[in-house]
Amino acid sequence: MSSVSTDKKIIDEILTRSIFQILPSKDALLKELLSGRRLRVYIGADATGPELHIGHSTNFILLEKLRRLGHEAVVLFGDFTAMIGDPSGKESARRALSPSEVQENLKTWKKQIAPILSFSDKKNPAKILKNSAWLGKLNFEAILKLASSFTVQHMIERDMFEKRINEGKPVYLHEFLYPLMQGYDSVAMDVDIEIGGSDQIFNMLAGRVLQRKINKKEKFVIATTLLENPKTGKKLMSKSEGNYIALNDAPSDIYGKTMALPDLVVAQ
């Protein structure tokens, strides 16, 4: 096990660049990182497509920086949650994938991430886990207990649910269960920090609720900034919508796709 660095200058930089929000607070997380305690930090991604994109790279770079400080870095492949479908930011229900589709999507993920996040470091390699290892074992009694931690009012506060309800579009019951599943990931791995895009705050906070209730432990949430079109506010990188620059694209394709973005985006 590697020792943990408490270099304040490095930690300050980590908690500033590409950060949208830190919960419960930046000061509380700074204090924890300066304590010298080794923390378990994770990033999760659902296997909704065969490629990861540069929007994910912000989070992997942040995780790598924390790993280099000596903290435990975990990448969670959402093989089970991909079969449910994350409703975040969606104006309609996401299509659930079959187990075979999920496994096909995951084939090269580690290879795509490896240039950014070290899985080969001898002292402190990053780890990969899959949430089917625990979510696939939950029985109905356990799911009911998880569901009792949240109210319907809490769930429909999500802007995409409100929008769909107001427009008369369906909101399916299984979509309410998605935050519970992602939240339980934090409990099963007993994490200290979760990193994700700002569109994942609701789901990440669900994990904070369950971690405090079940493991009696604080969980910090680091929400990073998204790559967005400054005029429309829409995400520029989305696996489910098929518009992204993939991590495994050829350099010439990355250049071409980048130059095709609106000028205001490139300037950012």
Side-chain angles (χ1 to χ4, degrees):
M1 182 183 297
S2 61
S3 59
V4 174
S5 170
T6 56
D7 187 314
K8 190 174 185 301
K9 183 178 179 180
I10 295 175
I11 293 172
D12 281 335
E13 189 273 336
I14 290 173
L15 298 185
T16 301
R17 188 172 182 180
S18 298
I19 299 298
F20 177 82
Q21 189 176 14
I22 296 175
L23 299 163
S25 72
K26 179 179 178 180
D27 288 343
L29 179 55
L30 177 61
K31 181 179 179 180
E32 193 66 32
L33 290 170
L34 291 174
S35 72
R37 186 169 75 90
R38 189 167 186 255
L39 305 175
R40 181 172 294 161
V41 190
Y42 101 96
I43 292 171
D46 281 351
T48 54
E51 297 170 317
L52 294 163
H53 54 67
I54 63 171
H56 294 110
S57 64
T58 298
N59 295 337
F60 290 126
I61 290 170
L62 179 54
L63 184 61
E64 172 67 7
K65 289 178 179 178
L66 290 169
R67 187 201 65 79
R68 290 182 182 183
L69 288 179
H71 298 291
E72 183 180 359
V74 177
V75 179
L76 180 65
F77 289 172
D79 57 341
F80 190 93
T81 39
M83 293 187 289
I84 298 173
D86 180 7
S88 294
K90 301 296 180 294
E91 295 186 3
S92 60
R94 173 182 273 175
R95 183 180 74 86
L97 303 179
S98 68
S100 59
E101 287 176 309
V102 168
Q103 294 310 311
E104 183 66 26
N105 286 341
L106 287 174
K107 277 187 176 180
T108 66
W109 272 26
K110 182 178 180 180
K111 183 179 180 181
Q112 293 177 52
I113 301 168
I116 303 172
L117 181 64
S118 177
F119 297 103
S120 58
D121 185 275
K122 293 183 179 180
K123 291 184 178 181
N124 186 32
K127 301 174 183 178
I128 292 174
L129 297 175
K130 297 179 181 179
N131 59 14
S132 59
W134 49 86
L135 294 180
K137 297 175 182 178
L138 287 178
N139 58 30
F140 201 66
E141 179 183 3
I143 293 171
L144 287 175
K145 287 182 178 179
L146 294 178
S148 69
S149 299
F150 303 92
T151 66
V152 171
Q153 289 89 338
H154 184 208
M155 289 297 177
I156 62 176
E157 285 175 357
R158 302 192 74 176
D159 55 359
M160 85 287 297
F161 288 158
E162 285 186 329
K163 187 174 188 293
R164 279 157 60 182
I165 290 170
N166 291 335
E167 293 176 352
K169 296 179 179 179
V171 177
Y172 293 93
L173 185 57
H174 76 279
E175 295 182 276
F176 280 173
L177 297 179
Y178 185 92
L180 273 65
M181 300 298 100
Q182 182 171 329
Y184 189 71
D185 289 341
S186 293
V187 173
M189 295 184 291
D190 196 19
V191 300
D192 299 287
I193 302 172
E194 180 177 2
I195 300 171
S198 58
D199 61 334
Q200 289 294 314
I201 290 177
F202 188 96
N203 293 334
M204 293 191 287
L205 288 179
R208 188 165 183 264
V209 169
L210 294 178
Q211 182 71 323
R212 293 173 71 181
K213 182 174 182 178
I214 299 173
N215 287 338
K216 313 299 181 186
K217 181 177 179 179
E218 179 67 275
K219 186 193 92 168
F220 293 92
V221 167
I222 302 178
T224 56
T225 54
L226 298 177
L227 295 176
E228 296 180 330
N229 185 314
K231 287 188 175 180
T232 65
K234 290 186 176 182
K235 289 195 295 184
L236 290 169
M237 305 292 151
S238 173
K239 296 198 306 296
S240 59
E241 296 177 14
N243 55 315
Y244 56 84
I245 301 172
L247 293 180
N248 60 351
D249 275 343
S252 58
D253 290 336
I254 293 176
Y255 176 78
K257 290 179 180 180
T258 301
M259 296 309 293
L261 294 171
D263 291 344
L264 286 174
V265 175
V266 176
Q268 289 179 333

